[in-house]
Amino acid sequence: MTALRTVTVDGSGAWAATAQAAGDRRMMQAAAQIGQWLGLGGSIVANLFNPRLIVIGGYFASLAEWLLPHAQDQLQRLVVAASAAQCRFVASTLGFGAASRGAASMVVNRIIDDPTTIMEPLPRPTAY
């Protein structure tokens, strides 16, 4: 009989980090595979736009110490231009709410810049 493990998923990725830190073989393999896919995506971005940094956030940031070495290896292997090879991955330190806070601040800044924008009528739904 196989022992079942209980895992509490709290939305922060802490459960995955705990399994990684404990050396769970399946989690290590999953992190390597996800890191390689991140590296593939990053190499596409690097080949197109030649950024110096690619910032990852959310769950990826909470697992950065296990994902980023694989992602960086894949990135270095797949970039075409020598200048793109200087690109590197970094983990965001802003937390899970960064995107929503940024979106909200854009709306607030627009209203502060031009308070009359909140007086514009809402678009009417179109008939099908």
Side-chain angles (χ1 to χ4, degrees), residues 94-109:
L94 299 176
F96 285 97
S100 58
R101 286 192 305 269
S105 72
M106 287 182 66
V107 171
V108 169
N109 287 339

Side-chain angles (χ1 to χ4, degrees), residues 56-108:
I56 62 168
Y59 291 106
F60 295 122
S62 64
L63 298 171
E65 69 180 281
W66 296 284
L67 297 176
L68 293 189
H70 301 287
Q72 192 66 43
D73 288 345
Q74 189 79 329
L75 177 73
Q76 297 300 323
R77 194 171 67 74
L78 296 174
V79 291
V80 181
S83 60
Q86 296 174 5
C87 182
R88 64 186 176 93
F89 283 98
V90 295
S92 171
T93 58
L94 299 176
F96 285 97
S100 58
R101 286 192 305 269
S105 72
M106 287 182 66
V107 171
V108 169

Side-chain angles (χ1 to χ4, degrees), residues 36-59:
Q36 289 172 352
W37 284 108
L38 275 173
L40 173 65
S43 71
I44 294 168
V45 170
N47 287 326
L48 289 173
F49 301 110
N50 196 18
R52 292 289 171 244
L53 290 175
I54 298 174
V55 181
I56 62 168
Y59 291 106

